Amino acid sequence: AESSYTEGRWVCYPFQRAILDCIGHDEINVVDLRKSARVGYTKMILAGVGYFAEHKSRNQALYQPTDDDRDEFVTTELDAMLRDVRIMRSIFAKMHSRSKDNTMRLKKFLTGALHLRGGKAAKNYRRLTVDVVWYDELDGFDRDIEREGSPTKLGDKRLEGSTFPKSVRGTTPKTKNHSHIEDCEASADMRFRFHIPGPHC
């Protein structure tokens, strides 16, 4: 109820299925999504977090542009999903408890952990070892994090040594030629576009 106009079971839009297939595929290491507003990227993140926690037992890190963005995401999106999706209750036993395993910065599952960080401080990219790194609203991050590099460079270092590393970056682009997602697209091996026919067609 906190994150949607209507309560109830989530059903994928057709274009979301292909994106989620790429996210869940172990041989695809990086997924970049340049998107318009309101296409359900946050819902895809939540579905992916749950999938990797339940089915793949993977440690994850999720970055928002700021700590405030992280707090709002946890409160209105993540905690609601963990509460309302039945299978999550069985692998996240500390949901209703005050515990060091259930905070704004960490959600510890029976199968692994989800670290939640704001992207402004370089220290938030250190001391984590994960298999999956999520970036929400990537173009909202600083171009250079405290003169140590881009957020994707710092965050993806957390994947070194993983058997199945996965970096998922999504955003609505902001300024042309100063966009993280444009940089990511430029280095991509493959590009896919989803075309929607106009009414006149």
Side-chain angles (χ1 to χ4, degrees), residues 153-169:
K153 177 188 170 193
L154 298 179
D156 287 359
K157 288 285 278 181
R158 307 297 93 217
L159 298 169
E160 288 183 359
S162 173
T163 305
F164 299 107
K166 177 79 63 179
S167 178
V168 183
R169 306 98 169 250

PDB file of all heavy atoms in Angstrom, residues 153-169:
ATOM      1  N   LYS A 153      32.454   2.420 -10.514  1.00  0.00           N
ATOM      2  CA  LYS A 153      33.822   1.907 -10.324  1.00  0.00           C
ATOM      3  C   LYS A 153      34.025   1.466  -8.883  1.00  0.00           C
ATOM      4  O   LYS A 153      34.551   0.381  -8.614  1.00  0.00           O
ATOM      5  CB  LYS A 153      34.843   2.995 -10.691  1.00  0.00           C
ATOM      6  CG  LYS A 153      36.277   2.562 -10.444  1.00  0.00           C
ATOM      7  CD  LYS A 153      37.246   3.717 -10.634  1.00  0.00           C
ATOM      8  CE  LYS A 153      38.633   3.321 -10.149  1.00  0.00           C
ATOM      9  NZ  LYS A 153      39.532   4.449 -10.018  1.00  0.00           N
ATOM     10  N   LEU A 154      33.583   2.298  -7.934  1.00  0.00           N
ATOM     11  CA  LEU A 154      33.761   1.972  -6.516  1.00  0.00           C
ATOM     12  C   LEU A 154      32.858   0.818  -6.088  1.00  0.00           C
ATOM     13  O   LEU A 154      33.284  -0.087  -5.374  1.00  0.00           O
ATOM     14  CB  LEU A 154      33.481   3.209  -5.653  1.00  0.00           C
ATOM     15  CG  LEU A 154      34.395   4.411  -5.859  1.00  0.00           C
ATOM     16  CD1 LEU A 154      33.975   5.559  -4.958  1.00  0.00           C
ATOM     17  CD2 LEU A 154      35.848   4.041  -5.608  1.00  0.00           C
ATOM     18  N   GLY A 155      31.594   0.860  -6.531  1.00  0.00           N
ATOM     19  CA  GLY A 155      30.646  -0.180  -6.127  1.00  0.00           C
ATOM     20  C   GLY A 155      30.960  -1.530  -6.730  1.00  0.00           C
ATOM     21  O   GLY A 155      30.871  -2.568  -6.059  1.00  0.00           O
ATOM     22  N   ASP A 156      31.345  -1.546  -8.001  1.00  0.00           N
ATOM     23  CA  ASP A 156      31.624  -2.819  -8.667  1.00  0.00           C
ATOM     24  C   ASP A 156      32.893  -3.490  -8.127  1.00  0.00           C
ATOM     25  O   ASP A 156      33.073  -4.690  -8.307  1.00  0.00           O
ATOM     26  CB  ASP A 156      31.726  -2.630 -10.182  1.00  0.00           C
ATOM     27  CG  ASP A 156      30.362  -2.393 -10.828  1.00  0.00           C
ATOM     28  OD1 ASP A 156      29.345  -2.388 -10.107  1.00  0.00           O
ATOM     29  OD2 ASP A 156      30.320  -2.213 -12.061  1.00  0.00           O
ATOM     30  N   LYS A 157      33.763  -2.730  -7.431  1.00  0.00           N
ATOM     31  CA  LYS A 157      34.924  -3.347  -6.778  1.00  0.00           C
ATOM     32  C   LYS A 157      34.478  -4.340  -5.707  1.00  0.00           C
ATOM     33  O   LYS A 157      35.206  -5.267  -5.371  1.00  0.00           O
ATOM     34  CB  LYS A 157      35.805  -2.279  -6.118  1.00  0.00           C
ATOM     35  CG  LYS A 157      36.584  -1.424  -7.075  1.00  0.00           C
ATOM     36  CD  LYS A 157      37.765  -2.132  -7.668  1.00  0.00           C
ATOM     37  CE  LYS A 157      38.964  -2.123  -6.753  1.00  0.00           C
ATOM     38  NZ  LYS A 157      40.126  -2.802  -7.385  1.00  0.00           N
ATOM     39  N   ARG A 158      33.278  -4.147  -5.191  1.00  0.00           N
ATOM     40  CA  ARG A 158      32.748  -5.040  -4.146  1.00  0.00           C
ATOM     41  C   ARG A 158      32.454  -6.433  -4.689  1.00  0.00           C
ATOM     42  O   ARG A 158      32.243  -7.375  -3.945  1.00  0.00           O
ATOM     43  CB  ARG A 158      31.463  -4.476  -3.537  1.00  0.00           C
ATOM     44  CG  ARG A 158      31.542  -3.050  -3.010  1.00  0.00           C
ATOM     45  CD  ARG A 158      32.519  -2.905  -1.861  1.00  0.00           C
ATOM     46  NE  ARG A 158      33.847  -2.514  -2.307  1.00  0.00           N
ATOM     47  CZ  ARG A 158      34.992  -2.947  -1.772  1.00  0.00           C
ATOM     48  NH1 ARG A 158      34.999  -3.797  -0.778  1.00  0.00           N
ATOM     49  NH2 ARG A 158      36.154  -2.550  -2.232  1.00  0.00           N
ATOM     50  N   LEU A 159      32.424  -6.553  -6.032  1.00  0.00           N
ATOM     51  CA  LEU A 159      32.097  -7.825  -6.688  1.00  0.00           C
ATOM     52  C   LEU A 159      33.322  -8.695  -6.947  1.00  0.00           C
ATOM     53  O   LEU A 159      33.171  -9.860  -7.334  1.00  0.00           O
ATOM     54  CB  LEU A 159      31.407  -7.549  -8.032  1.00  0.00           C
ATOM     55  CG  LEU A 159      30.080  -6.796  -7.973  1.00  0.00           C
ATOM     56  CD1 LEU A 159      29.657  -6.370  -9.379  1.00  0.00           C
ATOM     57  CD2 LEU A 159      29.003  -7.643  -7.322  1.00  0.00           C
ATOM     58  N   GLU A 160      34.519  -8.142  -6.773  1.00  0.00           N
ATOM     59  CA  GLU A 160      35.728  -8.886  -7.109  1.00  0.00           C
ATOM     60  C   GLU A 160      35.799 -10.176  -6.306  1.00  0.00           C
ATOM     61  O   GLU A 160      35.645 -10.171  -5.090  1.00  0.00           O
ATOM     62  CB  GLU A 160      36.974  -8.033  -6.860  1.00  0.00           C
ATOM     63  CG  GLU A 160      37.133  -6.935  -7.887  1.00  0.00           C
ATOM     64  CD  GLU A 160      38.401  -6.121  -7.698  1.00  0.00           C
ATOM     65  OE1 GLU A 160      39.162  -6.405  -6.744  1.00  0.00           O
ATOM     66  OE2 GLU A 160      38.628  -5.189  -8.495  1.00  0.00           O
ATOM     67  N   GLY A 161      36.011 -11.274  -7.003  1.00  0.00           N
ATOM     68  CA  GLY A 161      36.079 -12.580  -6.356  1.00  0.00           C
ATOM     69  C   GLY A 161      34.776 -13.346  -6.375  1.00  0.00           C
ATOM     70  O   GLY A 161      34.738 -14.534  -6.069  1.00  0.00           O
ATOM     71  N   SER A 162      33.674 -12.687  -6.752  1.00  0.00           N
ATOM     72  CA  SER A 162      32.386 -13.386  -6.812  1.00  0.00           C
ATOM     73  C   SER A 162      32.368 -14.359  -7.989  1.00  0.00           C
ATOM     74  O   SER A 162      32.871 -14.057  -9.074  1.00  0.00           O
ATOM     75  CB  SER A 162      31.249 -12.372  -6.974  1.00  0.00           C
ATOM     76  OG  SER A 162      30.020 -13.043  -7.202  1.00  0.00           O
ATOM     77  N   THR A 163      31.772 -15.517  -7.774  1.00  0.00           N
ATOM     78  CA  THR A 163      31.635 -16.501  -8.851  1.00  0.00           C
ATOM     79  C   THR A 163      30.673 -16.002  -9.917  1.00  0.00           C
ATOM     80  O   THR A 163      30.877 -16.210 -11.114  1.00  0.00           O
ATOM     81  CB  THR A 163      31.137 -17.845  -8.285  1.00  0.00           C
ATOM     82  OG1 THR A 163      32.022 -18.256  -7.246  1.00  0.00           O
ATOM     83  CG2 THR A 163      31.099 -18.909  -9.363  1.00  0.00           C
ATOM     84  N   PHE A 164      29.588 -15.352  -9.482  1.00  0.00           N
ATOM     85  CA  PHE A 164      28.580 -14.823 -10.402  1.00  0.00           C
ATOM     86  C   PHE A 164      28.343 -13.343 -10.107  1.00  0.00           C
ATOM     87  O   PHE A 164      27.313 -12.970  -9.544  1.00  0.00           O
ATOM     88  CB  PHE A 164      27.261 -15.600 -10.278  1.00  0.00           C
ATOM     89  CG  PHE A 164      27.381 -17.064 -10.605  1.00  0.00           C
ATOM     90  CD1 PHE A 164      27.342 -18.028  -9.607  1.00  0.00           C
ATOM     91  CD2 PHE A 164      27.537 -17.476 -11.919  1.00  0.00           C
ATOM     92  CE1 PHE A 164      27.457 -19.369  -9.910  1.00  0.00           C
ATOM     93  CE2 PHE A 164      27.646 -18.823 -12.238  1.00  0.00           C
ATOM     94  CZ  PHE A 164      27.611 -19.771 -11.225  1.00  0.00           C
ATOM     95  N   PRO A 165      29.290 -12.465 -10.479  1.00  0.00           N
ATOM     96  CA  PRO A 165      29.109 -11.038 -10.188  1.00  0.00           C
ATOM     97  C   PRO A 165      27.986 -10.433 -11.021  1.00  0.00           C
ATOM     98  O   PRO A 165      27.794 -10.798 -12.177  1.00  0.00           O
ATOM     99  CB  PRO A 165      30.468 -10.437 -10.566  1.00  0.00           C
ATOM    100  CG  PRO A 165      31.012 -11.370 -11.605  1.00  0.00           C
ATOM    101  CD  PRO A 165      30.520 -12.741 -11.228  1.00  0.00           C
ATOM    102  N   LYS A 166      27.266  -9.507 -10.414  1.00  0.00           N
ATOM    103  CA  LYS A 166      26.146  -8.862 -11.117  1.00  0.00           C
ATOM    104  C   LYS A 166      26.092  -7.404 -10.701  1.00  0.00           C
ATOM    105  O   LYS A 166      26.022  -7.072  -9.518  1.00  0.00           O
ATOM    106  CB  LYS A 166      24.844  -9.547 -10.732  1.00  0.00           C
ATOM    107  CG  LYS A 166      23.601  -8.935 -11.337  1.00  0.00           C
ATOM    108  CD  LYS A 166      23.393  -9.333 -12.761  1.00  0.00           C
ATOM    109  CE  LYS A 166      23.187 -10.825 -12.884  1.00  0.00           C
ATOM    110  NZ  LYS A 166      22.968 -11.227 -14.295  1.00  0.00           N
ATOM    111  N   SER A 167      26.123  -6.504 -11.698  1.00  0.00           N
ATOM    112  CA  SER A 167      25.978  -5.072 -11.465  1.00  0.00           C
ATOM    113  C   SER A 167      24.761  -4.594 -12.239  1.00  0.00           C
ATOM    114  O   SER A 167      24.703  -4.748 -13.459  1.00  0.00           O
ATOM    115  CB  SER A 167      27.236  -4.333 -11.939  1.00  0.00           C
ATOM    116  OG  SER A 167      27.092  -2.938 -11.766  1.00  0.00           O
ATOM    117  N   VAL A 168      23.786  -4.027 -11.536  1.00  0.00           N
ATOM    118  CA  VAL A 168      22.543  -3.564 -12.160  1.00  0.00           C
ATOM    119  C   VAL A 168      22.440  -2.063 -11.934  1.00  0.00           C
ATOM    120  O   VAL A 168      22.369  -1.601 -10.796  1.00  0.00           O
ATOM    121  CB  VAL A 168      21.307  -4.285 -11.580  1.00  0.00           C
ATOM    122  CG1 VAL A 168      20.050  -3.839 -12.302  1.00  0.00           C
ATOM    123  CG2 VAL A 168      21.471  -5.804 -11.655  1.00  0.00           C
ATOM    124  N   ARG A 169      22.432  -1.294 -13.052  1.00  0.00           N
ATOM    125  CA  ARG A 169      22.419   0.168 -12.967  1.00  0.00           C
ATOM    126  C   ARG A 169      21.210   0.686 -13.732  1.00  0.00           C
ATOM    127  O   ARG A 169      21.045   0.380 -14.904  1.00  0.00           O
ATOM    128  CB  ARG A 169      23.674   0.762 -13.614  1.00  0.00           C
ATOM    129  CG  ARG A 169      25.018   0.245 -13.130  1.00  0.00           C
ATOM    130  CD  ARG A 169      25.587  -0.813 -14.036  1.00  0.00           C
ATOM    131  NE  ARG A 169      26.970  -1.136 -13.749  1.00  0.00           N
ATOM    132  CZ  ARG A 169      27.980  -0.825 -14.542  1.00  0.00           C
ATOM    133  NH1 ARG A 169      27.782  -0.168 -15.667  1.00  0.00           N
ATOM    134  NH2 ARG A 169      29.205  -1.149 -14.210  1.00  0.00           N
TER     135      ARG A 169
END
